[in-house]
Amino acid sequence: MARRHKRKGSAPLETKTNAMWGGRFAGGPSAAMSEINVSIDVDKRLWREDIAGSRAHAAMLADAGILSRADATAIARGLDAVARELEAGTFPFSAALEDIHMNVEARLEAKIGAPARRLHTARSRNDQVATDFRLWLRAALDALDGALAALMAALAEKAEAHAATVMPGFTHLQTAQPVTFGHHCLAYVEMLSRDRGRLADARARLNESPLGAAALAGTSFPIDRTATAKALGFARPMANSLDAVSARDFALEALAALAILQSHLSRLAEELVVWSSAPFAFVRLSDAFSTGSSIMPQKRNPDAAELVRAKTGRVAGAFQALLTVMKGLPLAYSKDMQEDKALVFEAVDAAALSLAAMAGMIADLKVDEARMRAAAGAGYATATDLADFLVRALDMPFREAHHVTGRIVAEAEKRALALEDLPLEVMQAVEPRIAKEVFRVLGPEASVRSRTSFGGTAPKNVARAAKSWRTRLAKEKGR
């Protein structure tokens, strides 16, 4: 049977200070205190989660006999009405009410009266905000996972189309060995796959419910925390009430994963900037992701890539900032933690926009295959192939082959010739046993075809891996 609380003689909420907590205070806060304390401009993004949490809490209170069915019904209908206002953009936000929790509760009371005052039974803003924040971040990570998959699919499609497109591979940004453009694209697919794994791990660990931990010690009311956890899609309630309200490692873990993700996007962005420059001209970004100059009419600036690169500072900075906020805080809740949401919101927004921009750039990217091929043949990129040939054909120790190849490269450089154009007699002057078969390994195409080891750049490897990724990602999308 529901425990009914008498409403007779109940006074209106205090107005001298904040109406939700001002009973202890004789005067109101200073202007500076009000400004530093208010968070509604930031945390109003949590309104859907706040209403969802309140719905679950009210239903549980009714099931536990703490709240009457009539009050629970009134609260549910009132929350629906408040949600409609928030969705329509007509909700009257008030800075005086500080945050989204108090704004929603005050608006609920305006709509349904006294029953609204019972909603906060057996909970605190401490467990309420922790619950809302976890719900919001869980949904944000799901959305980011989808955006990551879309970028991976764009890269895999480009890789399959260019499985045999030869380009120079670089170390120290110096020509190293020929690779294929498809192989290069798949390197980022692998990196982004690990990013998805880190975000999935963070999501799994945050998916526990703080609701019912109250301020820090739990509550004396006979609540059912498992029921509210289940209603909100959490795996379980958090096991310790102190930890439930004071933990922000779930946000830190997500930010750490996002910082790594953004660093990967930044590396790809940097390569697009370099590759689209006139000295390289390997790729061309579409008009949709380029800008011009106000003074130089010939310019095509890769601004989208540059801005993705720049947003790494925001994301990594958010992680460092929240880590600094949390590093010296005693248990349980401190108002310092109010800074968490602005940092996470900014990082998630930056990562989401970066993923969308990068997926668009990759999908529209035009590759100059001839330019890449010419660059792949320059800089003696097949020198390692020559050394490997000497090992295989002449049973020469690799260190000796390395030395012989270096002398041959020096001869080619002296004559301003590519290795494949160097006369056989010049090579034989360095190593007499070299036969004409050596020319089979010196072209860029021959070089990449020979790299058949698992994970190597051979076109057959690349085509197979690209197809596998496209199939896998398509199946995920179709679920």
Side-chain angles (χ1 to χ4, degrees), residues 403-405 407-408 411 425-432 434:
H403 180 74
V404 169
T405 299
R407 290 176 59 195
I408 293 173
E411 291 295 330
E425 56 267 25
V426 175
M427 297 188 204
Q428 290 175 332
V430 176
E431 170 48 64
I434 295 177

Side-chain angles (χ1 to χ4, degrees), residues 346-359:
E346 182 177 31
V348 168
D349 289 348
L353 183 56
S354 296
L355 285 167
M358 190 60 73

Side-chain angles (χ1 to χ4, degrees), residues 14-271:
E14 295 290 330
T15 57
K16 292 179 180 178
T17 59
N18 187 298
M20 299 296 180
W21 52 257
R24 170 67 175 80
F25 293 79
S30 71
M33 177 60 195
S34 294
E35 186 171 354
I36 198 171
N37 194 45
V38 70
S39 64
I40 187 60
D41 286 344
V42 172
D43 62 30
K44 63 184 177 184
R45 289 180 68 161
L46 298 175
W47 71 262
R48 290 180 178 84
E49 292 73 24
D50 197 70
I51 286 178
S54 290
R55 284 186 179 123
H57 185 66
M60 179 276 295
L61 292 178
D63 288 343
I66 301 168
L67 188 66
S68 72
R69 290 292 177 188
D71 283 351
T73 299
I75 288 170
R77 289 175 179 169
L79 287 170
D80 288 344
V82 173
R84 286 193 293 271
E85 288 185 341
L86 284 158
E87 191 72 61
T90 59
F91 184 92
F93 288 106
S94 169
L97 291 168
E98 299 179 9
D99 57 34
I100 187 61
H101 323 297
M102 289 185 170
N103 268 266
V104 168
E105 189 174 335
R107 189 60 178 162
L108 180 64
E109 182 174 359
K111 288 187 173 295
I112 68 170
R117 301 183 197 178
R118 301 189 186 280
L119 175 59
H120 209 54
T121 304
R123 75 173 182 184
S124 161
R125 277 192 294 173
N126 293 353
D127 63 332
Q128 190 177 0
V129 68
T131 301
D132 292 357
F133 197 15
R134 285 174 184 260
L135 287 171
W136 185 92
L137 188 52
R138 187 178 69 187
L141 293 181
D142 289 343
L144 287 171
D145 181 75
L148 265 165
L151 175 54
M152 290 170 64
L155 285 162
E157 182 175 353
K158 201 65 68 175
E160 193 168 26
H162 292 280
T165 300
V166 178
M167 69 175 291
F170 300 95
T171 61
H172 309 276
L173 204 56
Q174 305 297 311
T175 300
Q177 293 177 289
V179 296
T180 70
F181 182 64
H183 192 58
H184 204 113
C185 289
L186 287 179
Y188 282 102
V189 174
E190 296 291 338
M191 293 159 73
L192 295 172
S193 176
R194 294 192 295 274
D195 290 321
R196 289 185 76 192
R198 276 183 282 271
L199 292 177
D201 288 346
R203 187 199 189 282
R205 267 183 288 278
L206 72 79
N207 199 33
E208 295 183 336
S209 175
L211 193 57
L216 75 162
T219 178
S220 60
F221 289 94
I223 61 172
D224 186 347
R225 294 190 59 212
T226 299
T228 50
K230 183 178 179 181
L232 294 171
F234 288 113
R236 63 192 67 85
M238 294 185 73
N240 183 284
S241 61
L242 276 169
D243 179 48
V245 299
S246 51
R248 290 299 183 272
D249 55 351
F250 70 92
L252 284 168
E253 184 175 10
L255 287 176
L258 290 178
I260 297 171
L261 161 62
Q262 197 69 32
S263 75
H264 290 160
L265 298 181
S266 182
R267 296 181 75 178
L268 178 54
E270 169 67 7
E271 294 197 304

